[in-house]
Amino acid sequence: MNKDDVRRGYDDLAPVYAEQRTGDGDGTDILAEFLGSLSASPRVLDAGCGQGTPILSRLASEAEPVGLDFSRGQLSRAAENVPNAPVLQGDMTTLPFESNTFDAVVAYWSLIHVPMDDHQTVIDEFARVLRPGGHVLLCEGSDEWAGENPDWLESGVRMEWNIAGADETRTQLQNAGFDVTDTWGAPETLNPDEGDGEDVDAEDADAETEAEDANDEDEGEDSDPWTFFAARLVS
């Protein structure tokens, strides 16, 4: 994965993404539950805030949020959509904040665009910027998968994903000193397959299909493609 390609992709497809990604879905229900577990008016980092809706805007009504993204195109929209929340450009592998700055970090659909070898680094950075006992809420694909779509959302823009899977993400959280307190399955429709139908090469597509079939056999037809983790920093 080339992070600069992902950044440029989100810059280029900002109008299309804004038009198609307007719903709240299960993610905001989970966010409401997560916020209910925090102290009043927590300082929260939205890591990978994108266009600012629906997550940063929801945070602005109940917390003191800061939005971070590496796409200027997305940040421009976030500044317009959530004018009362500061936003800045940055890389999640080297967060531009001092240690012990936030009460919580949320990361929706952002870790999945980080190169696989950097996932642990990002989660370690979340731990660094949190105050003792701080909380994190992040989502990951339930199964490991890496691939690309040359025409995502039928925008003509290429996009890439590196998805570590739920088991590996749980391990990475524990490695960073987090205790996982809650998990949720979610059928969100942030689907890498959306586009022209030729999103990945045949080998990747076959591997993904085999993984889905194995999950269906083990967990039934209704297994969720995404997993949300809430965790508390304990060390």
Side-chain angles (χ1 to χ4, degrees), residues 48-84:
C49 66
Q51 64 190 17
T53 58
I55 303 305
L56 187 63
S57 60
R58 176 62 183 271
L59 288 171
S61 68
E62 301 186 37
E64 299 176 11
V66 176
L68 177 132
D69 205 281
F70 68 167
S71 163
R72 285 189 178 274
Q74 296 292 329
L75 282 174
S76 175
R77 290 178 177 271
E80 295 177 359
N81 291 331
V82 197
N84 56 333

Side-chain angles (χ1 to χ4, degrees), residues 144-148 161 199-211:
E144 181 181 351
W145 181 79
E148 64 182 59
W161 295 264
D199 51 298
V200 295
D201 63 37
E203 183 177 351
D204 283 339
D206 289 344
E208 185 182 15
T209 300
E210 289 173 5

Side-chain angles (χ1 to χ4, degrees), residues 39 57 66 71 88 91 94 108 122 130 133 138 146 148 171 189 195 216 235:
S39 60
S57 60
V66 176
S71 163
L88 71 160
D91 190 322
T94 53
Y108 274 62
V122 170
L130 282 172
L138 61 83
E148 64 182 59
T171 297
T189 57
D216 288 343
S235 63

